[in-house]
Amino acid sequence: PVVDSYYTLVQKTSKFMKYSVANFNFDYLMICDDDVFVDVESLVRGLRASASRTRFYAGQVWEAQYNRKIRPNRDTTHRNSLTKEEYPFEELPPFAIGPHFVVSYDCADFIGRNEAMLVGVGTLEDVTISFWLMSIGVRAEHVPWFNNARNENCVDNWVSLADLRPHGIERVGLNV
């Protein structure tokens, strides 16, 4: 029971992990927005071929992809703003961006079991997940098959394509 709002993303994500662990048997859990197209067969093949079944947290890690540190947004009019009081550091940790990322069961279980005492970083569920998993020694892993349609050219080996409009999702789906 969480209000569906952009400002409750941290709660929604942690409660979803808690619910998933309690109700389903899985090796990996993918978190993705409703504007993401996922080629599920390719995702499963990729995870089976190259992913660890434990201590796995991966997606599109911009710090690795663009080879630069990500700084917090300090513009208080922006929905992703972090004040110095909320986040005193000058750089964000490496994190798999929010539209799409995958965690192994044990990572989802850690978050689900501890969600009542874990504190989020503003509205940034992707940064929050990174901090929570870093606390148990799990770091974000960049996988090149996760792409963002707004920032990247289409590549042949993508698995998850984020930031699509409905007609874009439909067109991509017809070509898979």
Side-chain angles (χ1 to χ4, degrees), residues 39-106:
D39 180 345
V40 177
E41 289 179 13
S42 294
L43 175 65
V44 170
R45 270 194 313 274
L47 290 171
R48 284 184 178 152
S50 64
S52 169
R53 289 189 131 169
T54 61
R55 305 177 63 73
F56 184 75
Y57 160 51
Q60 188 177 13
V61 180
W62 281 7
E63 180 175 309
Q65 186 171 355
Y66 298 117
N67 197 27
R68 66 176 171 86
K69 301 284 186 186
I70 307 299
R71 298 184 167 283
N73 184 332
R74 302 291 188 200
D75 177 0
T76 57
T77 64
H78 195 276
R79 69 182 183 176
N80 291 330
S81 172
L82 290 173
T83 65
K84 283 266 193 189
E85 291 76 31
E86 291 175 303
Y87 190 83
F89 310 106
E90 294 301 318
E91 296 173 346
L92 296 172
F95 62 95
I97 64 168
H100 48 184
F101 60 89
V102 176
V103 296
S104 55
Y105 176 91
D106 59 319

Side-chain angles (χ1 to χ4, degrees), residues 114-156:
N114 295 292
E115 59 94 22
M117 65 182 185
L118 294 171
V119 177
V121 179
T123 61
L124 305 176
E125 96 284 0
D126 46 11
V127 174
T128 296
I129 296 296
S130 181
F131 270 119
W132 290 347
L133 294 178
M134 283 171 47
S135 76
I136 59 169
V138 177
R139 293 194 160 286
E141 180 181 324
H142 177 68
V143 289
W145 17 281
F146 279 42
N147 244 316
N148 187 297
R150 248 191 271 171
N151 301 327
E152 302 297 320
N153 294 325
C154 267
V155 293
D156 290 335

